[in-house]
Amino acid sequence: MTTPVSEGKDPILKVVFFRSQSGNEPVREWLLSLRRAHRKVIGQDIKTAQYGWPLGMPLVRKLEPGLWEVRSHVAGGIARVVFTVEANVMVLLHGFVKKSQKTSGTELETTRQRLARLREE
């Protein structure tokens, strides 16, 4: 269970979606593909990270330098939203539902590619 966000408090981070060169926002598209209940849980967890940054486990876990994940418990697994922080901006790079303990290499590679593209801009 996450701690509710304080009302009236300013966010520490601004949240934005990573945008591909073609204009797609993969995390937004992924979120819209989920059930409403799952979107609500994930959105609240992202908001908690936004207002409480920096946070650690169990909600936020550092994956590697410059990459963290928000860990949301949803039916059928644990949703992950991987992000980076640039100045005071939380950029949502990749989202997926994890069904096993270890994050797959494919998911991490997708995230690393998006981070590299973001830093090229």
Side-chain angles (χ1 to χ4, degrees):
M1 186 92 189
T2 58
T3 307
V5 176
S6 300
E7 292 299 319
K9 181 179 166 189
D10 289 333
I12 295 166
L13 300 174
K14 176 182 174 189
V15 177
V16 299
F17 291 94
F18 167 81
R19 182 172 285 160
S20 69
Q21 289 176 328
S22 62
N24 295 336
E25 294 176 331
V27 176
R28 183 188 304 269
E29 293 164 11
W30 170 73
L31 285 168
L32 291 172
S33 75
L34 299 175
R35 294 189 342 219
R36 174 177 233 155
H38 292 181
R39 287 195 309 265
K40 185 174 181 178
V41 168
I42 295 165
Q44 184 61 46
D45 288 346
I46 290 169
K47 186 175 180 182
T48 299
Q50 174 188 18
Y51 279 77
W53 185 254
L55 292 175
M57 293 288 280
L59 182 64
V60 176
R61 181 171 75 108
K62 186 169 188 162
L63 297 174
E64 55 190 52
L67 288 176
W68 293 265
E69 67 180 359
V70 173
R71 306 153 44 94
S72 301
H73 294 275
V74 296
I78 301 173
R80 304 287 199 229
V81 177
V82 185
F83 66 95
T84 192
V85 175
E86 307 257 328
N88 64 337
V89 179
M90 177 185 199
V91 182
L92 307 181
L93 297 167
H94 188 45
F96 57 96
V97 176
K98 197 168 113 167
K99 293 179 174 37
S100 67
Q101 283 290 96
K102 189 162 169 55
T103 301
S104 84
T106 307
E107 304 294 0
L108 278 174
E109 191 54 37
T110 297
T111 303
R112 289 181 188 124
Q113 288 172 359
R114 290 178 184 163
L115 179 60
R117 280 187 236 137
L118 177 70
R119 290 185 172 164
E120 287 171 2
E121 295 175 359

